[in-house]
Amino acid sequence: MEHQNPSDEKPLTLPAKLLHQLRTNLLFNSKWAELNGAMGDLGTYIPIILALTLARDLNLGTTLIFTGIYNIITGAIYGVPMPVQPMKSIAAVALSNPDFGIPEIMAAGILTGGVLFVLGVTGLMQLVYKLIPLSVVRGIQLAQGLSFAMTAVKYVRNIQNLPKSKSIGKRPWMGLDGLILALVCACFIVVINGAGEEQRTRNSNSNSNTREDQEQEILPINRFDKFKKKFKLVSIPSAFLVFLLGVVFAFVRKPKLVNDIHFGPSQIEVVRITRRAWKDGFVKGTIPQLPLSVLNSVIAVCKLSSDLFPGKDFTATSVSVTVGLMNVVGCWFGAMPCCHGAGGLAGQYKFGGRSGACVAILGACKSTLGLVMGTSLVAILSEFPVGVLGVLLLFAGIELAITSRDMRSKEESFVVLVCTAVSLVGSSAALGFVCGFFVYGVLCLRKLGSGKSFSEIWMNGSETL
């Protein structure tokens, strides 16, 4: 019997390759883990979207439909839990400025997306990605993570007026949105997920390169880990159960919510943007948003994804283009300006997201809710326990901040801390970036007498600083 030589096999056609890649990117590594991971980004998504819906009449139904589609597409393209988050700087301006309405928000999103799209297709974003030192990126990630964590603690400790982004008093210990509930949810997640311990792995056959033979296994390292493995507690979707509990409590807090729900999608219309709205959107929205989008939505996301998913590297060009297209298209119809974010990626990874299926699930849920319930969903979200959202946001922020632990030298750590301190105190990632970039350059100049050129010292920072 003749055996076919593997080299004689016909190569896959382009459609077959795309279909194979699509199946790989949307593969469920674990259905409960991917479902749990999908909840990791809601701590930032829900408060911002809810606040803009209540304060600026954002079309919640349209935003859910479009962001759901974005989730599905990015999950299929990248094969990692790539988040879709509201643009935070634009949202902050809209919530603090009564004259910055829906036309200005959408104009800012379209212009920001257009700039990112141009930076991507011209290759300039990839050049920026290569030139920015890792220590500066880690500083931005640490600052963003700590900012999320501090906001989360504020959500847990204080009663929030989300439309005005203000605390209005201390949160009571008891009640359906009390401190006890938040602390119990936090303890539950820690018990199930721990501190996100790194997995120790072993290969069933070190001489084989197949996926099955190289399957990684979590090894129990103490009695409690063995207990969790024995009773399959590791598969409990902790974040999903916490979120589900919040939904149940929303109806318990206000049983008449059922009467406020109306079925059917919101009306989707093209937003009319005046010349003044274009101007205000660019000056007040695009200019402060661009540095944050470039650093956190593109550069930091690419760096973090290479850390978390070594085999899933993708270029800054592609990420910049997808962010640009999302906003150039969706904002015309009233969908909130969106981007990717290192915090969302870290949060979804923290709770178990490992493939594009994680965000595809979330996207399908968003789009379905947008089509079925439309803007009436805001009635449920308004009663959702904010302290519970704070717990989810806390773990996402910590997971992002932890990524800065890989700095090898005191000089690199110095750059990270300078960048972080300035970003937090000045409330500006751009200012922190500039200071960190400058400090890194000065440290490189001090090494010029070592026999290497400045460009070599700059590009090999961890080895030369």
Side-chain angles (χ1 to χ4, degrees):
M1 183 177 179
E2 295 183 1
H3 294 278
Q4 186 178 5
N5 191 330
S7 61
D8 295 335
E9 294 180 0
K10 294 182 179 180
L12 294 175
T13 61
L14 180 59
K17 288 182 179 179
L18 292 176
L19 183 60
H20 174 72
Q21 187 64 39
L22 182 64
R23 289 176 177 174
T24 302
N25 288 344
L26 296 178
L27 181 67
F28 283 86
N29 293 322
S30 168
K31 61 181 180 180
W32 285 117
E34 301 294 356
L35 178 62
N36 198 47
M39 304 297 106
D41 191 29
L42 297 182
T44 54
Y45 183 86
I46 291 179
I48 294 175
I49 294 298
L50 177 59
L52 288 171
T53 301
L54 295 174
R56 293 292 174 267
D57 200 24
L58 177 73
N59 192 323
L60 178 61
T62 300
T63 296
L64 286 172
I65 292 171
F66 274 91
T67 55
I69 294 172
Y70 301 157
N71 277 131
I72 295 171
I73 293 175
T74 52
I77 292 175
Y78 297 115
V80 301
M82 181 69 74
V84 174
Q85 300 176 318
M87 288 188 173
K88 299 175 185 62
S89 182
I90 293 176
V93 173
L95 292 173
S96 61
N97 188 345
D99 297 327
F100 201 84
I102 294 299
E104 288 78 12
I105 292 173
M106 300 308 151
I110 293 169
L111 292 171
T112 303
V115 173
L116 292 174
F117 179 79
V118 171
L119 290 175
V121 296
T122 57
L124 290 175
M125 188 64 78
Q126 187 65 23
L127 178 63
V128 171
Y129 175 74
K130 291 180 178 179
L131 290 178
I132 295 180
L134 179 61
S135 55
V136 175
V137 177
R138 290 291 188 251
I140 297 297
Q141 290 175 324
L142 179 58
Q144 187 71 65
L146 293 177
S147 177
F148 280 178
M150 290 187 291
T151 300
V153 173
K154 182 178 70 174
Y155 283 179
V156 171
R157 291 187 59 189
N158 302 318
I159 301 173
Q160 299 298 312
N161 184 338
L162 292 178
K164 294 184 179 181
S165 299
K166 291 182 179 180
S167 300
I168 55 176
K170 296 294 183 181
R171 188 175 301 282
W173 282 94
M174 306 301 293
L176 297 178
D177 190 13
L179 283 172
I180 295 294
L181 173 64
L183 292 175
V184 169
C185 291
C187 291
F188 174 69
I189 291 175
V190 172
V191 168
I192 299 301
N193 297 95
E197 294 93 351
E198 296 184 14
Q199 295 178 354
R200 296 187 300 158
T201 62
R202 64 185 176 198
N203 295 330
S204 58
N205 185 352
S206 59
N207 296 324
S208 175
N209 293 323
T210 64
R211 179 173 181 173
E212 292 79 6
D213 289 338
Q214 294 289 340
E215 185 177 5
Q216 294 183 335
E217 179 182 348
I218 301 176
L219 300 180
I221 57 177
N222 55 44
R223 290 183 177 179
F224 186 69
D225 285 336
K226 292 179 180 179
F227 175 81
K228 290 197 301 179
K229 188 175 180 65
K230 179 179 179 180
F231 291 97
K232 298 183 179 179
L233 293 180
V234 289
S235 63
I236 293 179
S238 56
F240 175 72
L241 292 178
V242 166
F243 180 76
L244 191 62
L245 179 67
V247 174
V248 172
F249 278 16
F251 281 95
V252 174
R253 294 176 69 189
K254 188 177 180 182
K256 293 183 179 180
L257 276 178
V258 179
N259 300 327
D260 297 331
I261 297 175
H262 305 286
F263 294 99
S266 306
Q267 187 174 1
I268 299 178
E269 298 177 343
V270 176
V271 178
R272 295 182 179 180
I273 304 176
T274 64
R275 182 177 297 181
R276 181 177 180 82
W278 284 113
K279 177 184 176 182
D280 289 345
F282 177 76
V283 174
K284 298 178 182 179
T286 299
I287 291 178
Q289 178 64 49
L290 263 177
L292 184 61
S293 292
V294 171
L295 294 172
N296 189 55
S297 302
V298 181
I299 305 299
V301 163
C302 291
K303 294 283 189 184
L304 183 60
S305 65
S306 65
D307 295 335
L308 301 179
F309 308 97
K312 292 281 189 179
D313 290 345
F314 35 80
T315 65
T317 295
S318 65
V319 176
S320 185
V321 168
T322 56
V323 174
L325 288 176
M326 286 192 303
N327 294 285
V328 169
V329 175
C331 290
W332 283 107
F333 301 97
M336 177 63 196
C338 289
C339 58
H340 305 310
L345 178 58
Q348 288 169 334
Y349 182 87
K350 163 70 179 177
F351 290 117
R354 295 295 184 272
S355 74
C358 170
V359 288
I361 296 171
L362 180 61
C365 292
K366 285 181 182 177
S367 296
T368 301
L369 288 172
L371 290 169
V372 174
M373 301 178 67
T375 304
S376 66
L377 187 64
V378 72
I380 300 175
L381 296 180
S382 297
E383 297 299 325
F384 193 95
V386 177
V388 173
L389 290 177
V391 171
L392 296 176
L393 181 59
L394 174 65
F395 287 101
I398 291 174
E399 186 69 20
L400 178 58
I402 285 176
T403 59
S404 63
R405 72 190 188 279
D406 63 348
M407 295 292 94
R408 301 176 183 177
S409 66
K410 185 175 181 179
E411 286 82 0
E412 284 184 312
S413 298
F414 179 72
V415 174
V416 169
L417 294 176
V418 167
C419 188
T420 301
V422 175
S423 296
L424 289 177
V425 176
S427 299
S428 171
L431 183 60
F433 166 77
V434 170
C435 292
F437 204 76
F438 175 77
V439 170
Y440 183 87
V442 172
L443 292 176
C444 287
L445 287 173
R446 295 181 71 249
K447 301 290 183 178
L448 278 180
S450 61
K452 294 183 178 180
S453 65
F454 182 79
S455 60
E456 289 178 316
I457 297 173
W458 183 278
M459 300 305 293
N460 301 317
S462 61
E463 300 174 5
T464 57
L465 287 185

